[in-house]
Amino acid sequence: MCGEVFNWICWPTIAPSSLHYYPAGRGVPGWGNSLLITSLKRGAVFRVKLSANGKSVVGEPVRELATSNRYRDLAIGPDRRTLYVITDPSGSTSGSTGLGTTVLDNPGAILEFKYTGSH
């Protein structure tokens, strides 16, 4: 699975590039009181639930909004149901298959993800 060109894919890191707090209250159900971590290497936002006092992590990280891109940063919209994710213009990522690629879906873009559920 790890080749000479993309052997970095096997390094045990997601290559985090930004960290944002998602507060409790209105917004995406189940996301309240979480940390959102953008990933250069995995092309996703990882959601990490915090304990009630915010001093520890509860459970495992959840991979959200996955694409074949390098996620640099994000912004949470005022409705807290819309996320804007900024992608790198070039570089390597694991891609949707989990294998290395330099072909990005949306290089140098701002992607909009909107929760449209009723809860």
Side-chain angles (χ1 to χ4, degrees):
M1 201 173 230
C2 296
E4 289 181 29
V5 177
F6 294 108
N7 64 357
W8 56 268
I9 290 295
C10 292
W11 296 345
T13 180
I14 64 166
S17 56
S18 71
L19 176 71
H20 297 268
Y21 176 68
Y22 194 93
R26 63 181 177 83
V28 180
W31 280 33
N33 199 30
S34 294
L35 296 176
L36 302 180
I37 306 163
T38 54
S39 169
L40 294 167
K41 186 174 170 183
R42 299 287 180 222
V45 173
F46 286 85
R47 184 174 48 84
V48 180
K49 191 75 172 162
L50 296 173
S51 63
N53 67 8
K55 293 184 179 185
S56 61
V57 171
V58 177
E60 295 293 317
V62 178
R63 188 175 183 202
E64 307 278 7
L65 312 176
T67 66
S68 287
N69 288 294
R70 291 171 51 89
Y71 287 179
R72 178 61 60 183
D73 202 354
L74 70 83
I76 302 167
D79 65 358
R80 295 198 22 225
R81 291 175 169 247
T82 307
L83 272 73
Y84 302 93
V85 179
I86 298 130
T87 68
D88 272 357
S90 63
S92 300
T93 189
S94 63
S96 57
T97 64
L99 302 176
T101 184
T102 58
V103 178
L104 304 178
D105 289 341
N106 310 97
I110 298 175
L111 307 179
E112 179 183 78
F113 296 94
K114 185 166 184 78
Y115 176 77
T116 58
S118 61
H119 294 72

